[in-house]
Structure formats: C-alpha cells, structure tokens
Amino acid sequence: MPDDVPYKDFMNNDESLKEVLMNIHKYGFGIVGECPPTEEKTVEVSERIGHVRPTFFGKSWGFTDNEVFDDTAYTSDAIGPHNDNTYLLEASGIQVFHILHHDGEGGENLLVDGFNAASILKLKHPDYYEALARIPIRAEYIGDGHEVISIINLIQENKITKEIDAFRYNPFDRALLSHTSFEDTKLFYKALKALSAEINSPLNELRMKLTPGRVLFVDNWRVLHGRNSFNGSRVLAGCYLPKDQLNSRLRTIAGLNIY
C-alpha cells in the first residue's frame, strides 16, 4: 500500500506529484495527506493533476446520505465494488474521495483491483474472459431528469498492446441483456458470475478508513470502489478527472511511455 504524500509537498514540488502519479500507475490509487478538509481544497488538490471533469452531479460534490440523487452513494447503505460512470461514453479516469467529517462508525472504503480480477479470470476461464471482452452490454443512468446510456464492453483491451485498458463493472448501472443471441447471453452471465466471484473474494479486497485530510485518488478505469455501511453524520467531498489528464501527467512528469 502506498504511503501518504503530504499536501504541501504535493502542491509545491513535482517530485511529490510524481510520487502520487506513480502510486496511481502502480497500485491503482494514491493518497495525499494533511489536506485542509474542505470541498474547495479537495478541488484544488485534484487540479494539481489536471482539470476537473464536470458531470450532472456537478463539478465537485460534497454530500451526505440525503438521497438528493437516485444513487446509492447518497445513502448510508453498504455499497459493493464497482466502477463509476459506466453509462458515460467515456468514463472518468480518476475518482477523488475526501472525508470532510464523520462522527459515527463504519464507512470504511473498499478497493478492488479490476485488472487483477480479470487476469485471474483469464487464467482460470479464458473463454469467459474472451466473452466479457467481446459481448457488448448496455449501461444506463435514468432518473433525476437524466437518461444517459452507453454501449460498452465490461473488459476493454488496448488496441496496440492487447492488454487490459479499462474495466467497467457496475451491477447498479448494467441494463438488461436483450440484444445478444441466446448462446451469448448464457455465456455472458456465466462469465459475469465467475468474474464477480473474483471481485468479491476477500483475497482481492483492500479496506481502509479515510479520515479528514486524506485525499484518495482512484484509477476508475482499473480499480473498483465500495464502502461499508455507516451511522452518524458523514460528509464526503470529491470530483472526477479525465483519463487523458492522468496519462498526460504520467508522460510529462513521470516520464512513462504509455499508450
């Protein structure tokens, strides 16, 4: 697990920025510590990597379990591992989480490396892996005056390297599979069941308790996130960043040659 990088160092020198970028690249997430616990500072520290990507949730969000959106994040319920924005034509590349206040119990954050889960599936069931990379599915967000739909592959491979490029797993957003053949439908759900078993295996889980001041940056194209249920008053701030910004910074600041 990567170490926290102090907020002042991260904001003021490129070596600390590079450390966070490399943590995201290596582990799928990075953490900046000692950040002032406000939504404004959460946006500021995020913009050190790149511009914030607004969605219909706003440029950034500071929310509790007030259910203002038709989304499980706006409740106090436990949330299983998933990727965000699967219903968008291009999902956000980084998701930012920052607990501003919590005076109760629970709410531990859950992270699962989707690339690792897919790699295990490929070793055990290569036919299932191929099915999930080939069979398109429909993802949607319908509610609150929005009807956002995209056609995606749960596993996406880089067209040059042929390695896993993006992972788009979200049972909450997945629509009915009504456009495939009977054979592909059976194969897809068998493959999905096997993949879900890997994702939900305790061996693939990392849980952590975020506290005010610790800003978590998650590669949303790779790492699934969730949380335990909680009680008490809990305020979370966050935002999204485009994948292009992460890759650009990895090339220019970290010196990586990535596609």
Side-chain angles (χ1 to χ4, degrees):
M1 180 168 167
D3 294 330
D4 291 14
V5 175
Y7 166 79
K8 289 184 178 179
D9 294 342
F10 177 75
M11 296 299 293
N12 293 301
N13 71 74
D14 284 351
E15 279 303 310
S16 293
L17 170 60
K18 179 180 177 180
E19 183 178 354
V20 174
L21 292 170
M22 289 304 297
N23 286 341
I24 297 172
H25 180 69
K26 181 178 181 179
Y27 300 103
F29 69 97
I31 300 175
V32 173
E34 304 172 8
C35 177
T38 68
E39 184 175 341
E40 293 74 22
K41 289 298 183 181
T42 305
V43 171
E44 180 183 89
V45 74
S46 301
E47 290 178 331
R48 178 78 168 113
I49 294 178
H51 65 268
V52 171
R53 180 191 188 186
T55 67
F56 49 75
F57 294 109
K59 178 181 178 180
S60 62
W61 16 266
F63 64 82
T64 64
D65 55 335
N66 54 18
E67 301 186 13
V68 296
F69 282 97
D70 188 17
D71 190 291
T72 50
Y74 291 79
T75 71
S76 60
D77 299 337
I79 303 175
H82 64 282
N83 304 103
D84 269 24
N85 298 164
T86 59
Y87 42 74
L88 297 181
L89 295 178
E90 181 176 298
S92 299
I94 294 180
Q95 183 158 6
V96 182
F97 297 97
H98 186 191
I99 296 293
L100 304 185
H101 169 79
H102 186 201
D103 61 11
E105 298 178 342
E108 292 81 5
N109 289 80
L110 164 67
L111 300 179
V112 176
D113 189 336
F115 285 9
N116 184 61
S119 296
I120 294 172
L121 180 72
K122 190 174 185 179
L123 287 174
K124 292 182 177 178
H125 305 285
D127 54 332
Y128 288 172
Y129 175 94
E130 185 278 334
L132 296 177
R134 175 181 60 83
I135 300 172
I137 60 175
R138 171 173 160 151
E140 60 187 25
Y141 182 102
I142 299 176
D144 309 311
H146 304 284
E147 188 170 348
V148 185
I149 299 170
S150 67
I151 305 300
I152 61 174
N153 291 101
L154 200 153
I155 296 173
Q156 297 176 193
E157 293 185 334
N158 186 292
K159 294 180 180 179
I160 295 176
T161 67
K162 304 304 180 182
E163 296 178 347
I164 304 174
D165 191 46
F167 197 80
R168 304 183 76 172
Y169 177 94
N170 194 321
F172 310 106
D173 299 338
R174 191 178 65 251
L176 294 175
L177 198 64
S178 58
H179 56 278
T180 55
S181 67
F182 181 65
E183 290 74 17
D184 270 355
T185 299
K186 289 194 299 180
L187 178 59
F188 175 85
Y189 283 116
K190 287 181 180 179
L192 181 63
K193 182 178 180 179
L195 177 62
S196 297
E198 298 299 338
I199 289 172
N200 290 286
S201 168
L203 295 175
N204 290 326
E205 293 181 350
L206 173 65
R207 293 183 186 271
M208 68 177 75
K209 178 78 171 181
L210 290 178
T211 52
R214 301 184 75 208
V215 183
L216 174 64
F217 295 87
V218 177
D219 183 345
N220 185 53
W221 283 29
R222 171 181 169 183
V223 173
L224 299 83
H225 66 275
R227 68 148 192 256
N228 292 352
S229 62
F230 65 89
N231 58 37
S233 173
R234 183 178 186 267
V235 181
L236 174 73
C239 58
Y240 296 114
L241 305 176
K243 183 69 169 181
D244 291 333
Q245 289 292 301
L246 173 61
N247 287 348
S248 176
R249 287 297 214 178
L250 285 169
R251 297 184 189 107
T252 58
I253 300 295
L256 298 186
N257 181 24
I258 57 174
Y259 294 101

